[in-house]
Amino acid sequence: MNYPDESTYGNKADIISTVEFNHTGELLATGDKGGRVVIFQREQESKNQVHRRGEYNVYSTFQSHEPEFDYLKSLEIEEKINKIRWLPQQNAAYFLLSTNDKTVKLWKVSERDKRPEGYNLKDEEGRLRDPATITTLRVPVLRPMDLMVEATPRRVFANAHTYHINSISVNSDYETYMSADDLRINLWNFEITNQSFNIVDIKPANMEELTEVITAAEFHPHHCNSFVYSSSKGTIRLCDMRASALCDRHSKFFEEPEDPSNRSFFSEIISSISDVKFSHSGRYIMTRDYLTVKVWDLNMENRPIETYQVHDYLRSKLCSLYENDCIFDKFECVWNGSDSVIMTGSYNNFFRMFDRNTKRDVTLEASRENSKPRAILKPRKVCVGGKRRKDEISVDSLDFSKKILHTAWHPSENIIAVAATNNLYIFQDKVN
């Protein structure tokens, strides 16, 4: 399940920038820096090869976004896919939203295994026939053909964002979705491309007074009137669209008071939230900042109910991480299907899992060696300080260019997808 290796190709376009399972988990979509979307489909179980089920194979690949140029601002607009969101399946076709920094597109992915033959006005090659030669009326018929998967853009939602889009989220009413940039959140109807409603605007009248930006936003999974957005100041706001059309006044404000003894030059940078996710139940919110994952109860605003250290050993390395810009990396976080385990990425191709019930946590590595069929992932340990055990890795030898920013969890099974730069790894529970 590997993209070409970057060291051999050096191709930045292959770097995966988002990973997303659809609502059944049968499909998995990735977007990359080159503006492509690759969709993988899960193999169906066959009677003679029971253990084969669960392998994901390429189903469709298409170019979603192209590089553009904003002539007014003299800015290049990257084609990189920032986010993909699936719509629940209503018929035989699949629909997904993909966005780069400026434009959201709705794609329809459908299968064709029959083609019409026997047109009256065209010949078999598709050329128009001379009307004078047409003497009989033919009835067109459908003939079987090789399966073709087609991706067609159904809607293009453009020209609504001055700043870079960092999030899109489909509402539970399945009629609307929102797109968020640094300072504004817009609400769209799927049927209307030429206008959107601005539901959050934190842009100050004087840009010199700007103190925070929006970093992520998501709709509540069941209540179509509620959504949350996180900020670079480490705060989360829950908004209710029933209260007013412009949600400038939040209904809940989640913030953990800072421990003065931990205050440093980097405090503000590392407290910026890079991802926010509702639990499937809708009761909790999970946020990821640079060093931790926090779980918040919607009924308690003054502090999280759980805090998990992702890579606390990096606290002493913040200076060098600031110099190589890694401190600005935006890690995502995901829930498993039952909201009992959470997963997020780290450096050195490590990713972390935290079991909320047992409070056990594990560090795993996504690498070529571990991706052989039915290989079992061995827990990894990072040691800080002098003595290092045989199977441990020293904090000084971690590779910060290998980072796992994007992961996804199958909605109902223990199957995870992990994007390590330009390789996609899919791991699953042992099949009994």
Side-chain angles (χ1 to χ4, degrees):
M1 196 57 59
N2 293 338
Y3 278 56
D5 186 25
E6 195 183 17
S7 55
T8 49
Y9 288 82
N11 191 354
K12 285 242 167 38
D14 286 334
I15 295 176
I16 301 172
S17 50
T18 182
V19 190
E20 193 76 14
F21 279 101
N22 75 339
H23 291 256
T24 61
E26 290 303 302
L27 298 180
L28 170 68
T30 64
D32 64 25
K33 280 201 164 172
R36 286 179 306 246
V37 173
V38 180
I39 301 175
F40 300 89
Q41 185 182 43
R42 195 175 181 191
E43 290 244 322
Q44 292 306 314
E45 197 172 300
S46 61
K47 292 224 167 37
N48 48 1
Q49 289 180 308
V50 179
H51 66 271
R52 291 266 309 174
R53 172 154 176 75
E55 290 197 7
Y56 283 80
N57 295 316
V58 174
Y59 176 66
S60 173
T61 305
F62 58 92
Q63 188 73 30
S64 173
H65 287 69
E66 303 280 355
E68 292 174 61
F69 193 78
D70 183 335
Y71 291 97
L72 277 175
K73 299 196 183 81
S74 292
L75 280 178
E76 281 188 54
I77 301 167
E78 278 190 84
E79 64 273 41
K80 173 189 161 213
I81 309 290
N82 292 345
K83 285 284 184 286
I84 289 172
R85 290 290 177 263
W86 290 90
L87 276 67
Q89 195 177 357
Q90 309 283 358
N91 52 30
Y94 302 99
F95 287 89
L96 61 87
L97 286 171
S98 65
T99 186
N100 67 347
D101 285 341
K102 292 282 187 251
T103 305
V104 185
K105 295 184 180 183
L106 175 68
W107 288 89
K108 177 185 181 182
V109 181
S110 53
E111 296 183 355
R112 264 217 337 235
D113 60 356
K114 294 185 175 64
R115 65 164 183 264
E117 280 183 10
Y119 288 104
N120 286 289
L121 302 176
K122 295 180 191 165
D123 63 18
E124 298 312 327
E125 271 71 58
R127 291 185 297 264
L128 281 174
R129 292 164 65 186
D130 177 6
T133 65
I134 301 172
T135 55
T136 56
L137 187 65
R138 293 198 288 182
V139 178
V141 290
L142 287 173
R143 297 243 186 271
M145 58 177 256
D146 288 344
L147 179 67
M148 225 172 84
V149 181
E150 293 178 308
T152 46
R154 297 308 300 268
R155 306 258 187 288
V156 177
F157 306 90
N159 306 325
H161 285 276
T162 313
Y163 308 98
H164 293 346
I165 298 173
N166 55 46
S167 302
I168 46 177
S169 178
V170 178
N171 199 346
S172 58
D173 63 10
Y174 305 137
E175 292 177 10
T176 55
Y177 76 90
M178 68 178 171
S179 55
D181 67 26
D182 295 340
L183 298 180
R184 296 194 180 101
I185 301 176
N186 292 332
L187 180 70
W188 300 84
N189 186 302
F190 278 111
E191 300 300 320
I192 302 166
T193 57
N194 59 356
Q195 64 175 2
S196 62
F197 289 100
N198 181 221
I199 51 174
V200 172
D201 187 347
I202 64 165
K203 184 179 180 184
N206 177 5
M207 281 295 267
E208 287 175 7
E209 292 165 10
L210 182 69
T211 57
E212 65 180 330
V213 292
I214 298 167
T215 55
E218 190 178 57
F219 269 119
H220 190 284
H222 316 302
H223 303 314
C224 59
N225 51 283
S226 299
F227 66 92
V228 291
Y229 69 90
S230 58
S231 91
S232 54
K233 276 195 162 170
T235 61
I236 309 114
R237 290 171 175 84
L238 177 75
C239 299
D240 188 339
M241 292 191 289
R242 295 171 301 188
S244 68
L246 190 64
C247 301
D248 279 0
R249 285 203 292 278
H250 48 265
S251 46
K252 287 193 175 184
F253 182 75
F254 301 85
E255 182 178 30
E256 185 172 29
E258 192 191 19
D259 178 0
S261 63
N262 272 346
R263 180 114 191 105
S264 76
F265 169 75
F266 304 108
S267 294
E268 281 190 15
I269 303 174
I270 63 173
S271 65
S272 174
I273 292 173
S274 54
D275 196 17
V276 60
K277 292 266 171 53
F278 270 107
S279 62
H280 295 83
S281 67
R283 169 76 190 268
Y284 305 102
I285 322 168
M286 168 168 54
T287 58
R288 169 75 209 255
D289 56 41
Y290 191 64
L291 293 176
T292 66
V293 174
K294 295 179 175 141
V295 176
W296 304 76
D297 189 318
L298 278 193
N299 302 325
M300 191 165 95
E301 296 168 63
N302 59 345
R303 65 172 193 273
I305 54 167
E306 297 157 30
T307 300
Y308 300 99
Q309 301 296 334
V310 178
H311 36 215
D312 204 42
Y313 45 79
L314 296 183
R315 215 174 269 280
S316 60
K317 296 255 176 272
L318 293 177
C319 219
S320 54
L321 290 162
Y322 179 75
E323 284 165 8
N324 65 14
D325 275 356
C326 283
I327 201 166
F328 302 108
D329 285 335
K330 293 178 168 50
F331 291 95
E332 295 170 9
C333 51
V334 287
W335 302 86
N336 72 340
S338 60
D339 298 333
S340 60
V341 183
I342 54 188
M343 170 172 64
T344 191
S346 179
Y347 294 102
N348 209 62
N349 279 356
F350 288 171
F351 57 99
R352 304 268 283 139
M353 286 187 178
F354 304 96
D355 188 312
R356 298 180 58 212
N357 301 326
T358 64
K359 297 291 180 258
R360 294 225 305 268
D361 64 288
V362 64
T363 302
L364 300 169
E365 182 183 7
S367 69
R368 288 280 166 104
E369 294 72 63
N370 301 345
S371 64
K372 308 218 166 29
R374 278 169 276 301
I376 290 174
L377 290 181
K378 287 196 277 292
R380 302 298 308 260
K381 279 211 165 39
V382 177
C383 80
V384 188
K387 294 197 74 169
R388 183 166 72 88
R389 291 209 188 94
K390 180 171 71 75
D391 55 344
E392 291 184 335
I393 180 166
S394 152
V395 69
D396 294 315
S397 53
L398 294 173
D399 186 342
F400 292 111
S401 66
K402 293 181 171 173
K403 50 191 92 168
I404 289 177
L405 304 175
H406 316 286
T407 58
W409 205 308
H410 188 289
S412 54
E413 295 178 46
N414 274 338
I415 299 176
I416 57 169
V418 176
T421 321
N422 52 352
N423 294 320
L424 178 69
Y425 296 97
I426 295 178
F427 303 111
Q428 62 179 29
D429 249 2
K430 291 201 298 287
V431 184
N432 296 334

